[in-house]
Amino acid sequence: MVDNSSFFNQLKHIITEQSFRLLNLIPSLCPVCHLPHKGRTLCESCREVIIKAQQACKQCAEPLAVLLQSSYDFPQHSNALEAKKSINTITCGKCQHSPANFEQVIVAGLYQPPLSNLIQSLKFSEQLTCAPVLANLLYEQVFNAITHSQIAKPDALIAVPLHPARLKARGYNQAALIARNLSKMLSIPLLENTVVRVKNTDEQSTMKLVKRKKNIQRAFKVINNLAPHVAIIDDVITTGSTCNELAKTLKKAGINKIDVYAVAKTPHLK
């Protein structure tokens, strides 16, 4: 019997890719400036004002501006490109001292306007049309990193789950909405109903790091089989406590490699 799974997976990838190309030809309005443009993402002008860290910690995505301006002794290189490659491999002191349970973080930008406004609109104002826009911005960073062999393509994606009580109150999980769009864009399966949140944690946004870690302890449980290499999807990563606890749970379940893809990074809070 002929195994057609490879053929159908390739066909699915082609159809998905062509679908997104067609969507990018359909006129729409930019969700930030509301001016006409094509596609389900930001216009070029609004895209350009998204703030990104020129260099960041490979593991936690914390901006390294202070480190780069210090007297850190970088090795000598023959050209600027080689120097930049070296800087991109830097891990911050905190991650060197206390490594996270995940290997690295990819983000679309820093949690500042207009990116923060889009995330807040999705999370708190039920503007669900922001989900594909945010997923597209994250997709560009992840796809670029995979294409240039900076990261390995994961076997599956897992959205940070909400507790059933919070999911019922909000009506949707913003991380899952982003993950579903990203899954289609990358042609990587999204594992839903695989990990559940068993602890209804308090809102972490106003907590200090120590309280965040305590608040999120033993909050997750794996209930189904997983893939050997997964990427956790979230809207915002701040201290990384939530993703780290989820990664810890996944590791105990036998996951070999875990990455984090987040739309935005809130800097300088560690």
Side-chain angles (χ1 to χ4, degrees):
M1 183 176 179
V2 179
D3 182 9
N4 293 321
S5 59
S6 178
F7 169 78
F8 285 113
N9 285 336
Q10 187 176 19
L11 180 62
K12 179 182 177 182
H13 175 76
I14 293 172
I15 293 173
T16 300
E17 185 178 3
Q18 293 302 321
S19 298
F20 279 105
R21 286 182 178 179
L22 288 173
L23 284 172
N24 286 332
L25 296 176
I26 299 174
S28 62
L29 297 179
C30 173
V32 174
C33 67
H34 305 295
L35 293 177
H37 84 117
K38 294 179 180 179
R40 296 195 303 170
T41 185
L42 304 184
C43 68
E44 288 301 318
S45 297
C46 291
R47 186 191 301 269
E48 289 177 0
V49 299
I50 291 177
I51 301 173
K52 300 178 181 179
Q54 290 186 346
Q55 304 298 339
C57 171
K58 177 184 177 182
Q59 185 172 63
C60 70
E62 185 71 26
L64 298 175
V66 175
L67 173 61
L68 294 177
Q69 293 170 3
S70 71
S71 58
Y72 188 92
D73 185 19
F74 291 110
Q76 296 299 313
H77 296 276
S78 58
N79 58 65
L81 178 60
E82 288 301 314
K84 185 176 180 180
K85 287 181 179 178
S86 175
I87 293 172
N88 283 337
T89 64
I90 291 174
T91 303
C92 71
K94 185 180 184 303
C95 289
Q96 291 180 36
H97 182 264
S98 302
N101 289 297
F102 48 80
E103 294 195 19
Q104 53 198 348
V105 176
I106 301 293
V107 297
L110 298 182
Y111 189 68
Q112 297 180 22
L115 198 53
S116 57
N117 296 339
L118 288 171
I119 292 172
Q120 289 171 14
S121 294
L122 171 62
K123 192 171 182 177
F124 303 115
S125 300
E126 299 184 0
Q127 298 296 314
L128 305 189
T129 54
C130 290
V133 175
L134 295 171
N136 190 287
L137 294 171
L138 182 54
Y139 161 78
E140 292 175 355
Q141 300 302 314
V142 174
F143 180 79
N144 181 65
I146 293 174
T147 302
H148 292 86
S149 301
Q150 296 172 343
I151 61 173
K153 186 175 181 178
D155 301 304
L157 308 179
I158 294 178
V160 174
L162 288 178
H163 187 272
R166 185 164 296 179
L167 180 61
K168 183 178 180 180
R170 183 175 295 168
Y172 58 93
N173 178 357
Q174 73 281 354
L177 295 179
I178 294 168
R180 285 169 193 159
N181 283 276
L182 187 63
S183 170
K184 295 175 183 177
M185 294 173 186
L186 291 170
S187 293
I188 299 175
L190 173 64
L191 301 181
E192 300 190 73
N193 303 316
T194 295
V195 182
V196 295
R197 198 164 188 149
V198 295
K199 181 181 178 182
N200 194 5
T201 56
D202 295 328
E203 179 60 49
Q204 300 221 131
S205 59
T206 60
M207 294 182 182
K208 300 290 185 179
L209 177 58
V210 175
K211 287 187 176 181
R212 284 173 183 254
K213 288 183 176 180
K214 185 176 181 181
N215 181 52
I216 202 68
Q217 283 180 352
R218 296 180 292 279
F220 304 103
K221 180 181 179 181
V222 174
I223 58 174
N224 281 316
N225 294 332
L226 297 166
H229 177 192
V230 303
I232 296 170
I233 312 301
D234 207 356
D235 54 346
V236 182
I237 183 168
T238 305
T239 64
S241 299
T242 299
C243 288
N244 192 48
E245 183 65 24
L246 177 53
K248 180 181 177 181
T249 303
L250 295 174
K251 275 193 170 182
K252 287 182 178 179
I255 302 300
N256 299 323
K257 185 175 182 180
I258 303 165
D259 299 320
V260 174
Y261 303 159
V263 177
K265 163 66 179 165
T266 306
H268 311 308
L269 292 178
K270 295 191 353 173

